[in-house]
Amino acid sequence: MGTGAFAASSSWIRGEDGAVATDCDPTVACELCCVARTTNRVYMDLSIGGAPIGRVTFALFGEEVPKTVENFRALTTGEKGFGYKGSSFHRVIKDFVIQGGDFTQGNGRGGKSIYGPKFNDEAFTLKHVGP
């Protein structure tokens, strides 16, 4: 939704090699963690019209796609001075997918990475086994 009805704020949760923040549920994405080692976890607190609706936690697989994970992690934390905080989801298909991350144009055609305007895709060979 390009209207900005959804807003995301985010913070860093340490990976399995460090202490997990007390508000992190270590069972999140457990089916995926059995397939590949989670190297990092990040979360986004979501709101609609300024009212909080919940938190989404992402398990990241840095050994599988290191550049993609570092980009997503840094954009989620905002540590480079830009990122997902305050951005909207520009496409929502109920019970299927939400798409966002375009924090430059808000319509799915913009965005940038920590590596510049674009970077090459990495081969992601894992199968999705959960929501």
Side-chain angles (χ1 to χ4, degrees):
M1 301 179 77
T3 63
F6 292 87
S9 63
S10 49
S11 299
W12 165 248
I13 297 175
R14 294 182 199 194
E16 290 180 355
D17 55 340
V20 176
T22 58
D23 59 353
C24 176
D25 179 353
T27 63
V28 171
C30 63
E31 293 112 3
L32 295 176
C33 296
C34 295
V35 176
R37 191 172 85 79
T38 298
T39 56
N40 308 94
R41 289 181 192 262
V42 293
Y43 65 84
M44 294 182 182
D45 289 323
L46 305 179
S47 63
I48 299 175
I53 61 168
R55 173 172 288 175
V56 177
T57 302
F58 300 89
L60 307 179
F61 308 125
E63 293 171 353
E64 300 292 324
V65 285
K67 285 186 78 173
T68 301
V69 163
E70 181 54 22
N71 185 63
F72 187 78
R73 188 197 65 75
L75 293 176
T76 303
T77 65
E79 67 192 52
K80 304 290 185 182
F82 58 92
Y84 300 131
K85 186 172 185 174
S87 66
S88 65
F89 294 112
H90 60 271
R91 184 173 182 206
V92 178
I93 301 174
K94 187 177 189 250
D95 298 325
F96 179 62
V97 68
I98 57 173
Q99 293 178 324
D102 177 359
F103 50 85
T104 59
Q105 294 184 30
N107 62 9
R109 296 178 183 204
K112 63 181 177 179
S113 79
I114 63 170
Y115 308 114
K118 296 183 179 186
F119 68 99
N120 290 335
D121 285 338
E122 295 177 289
F124 187 74
T125 58
L126 301 175
K127 295 189 186 311
H128 293 275
V129 295

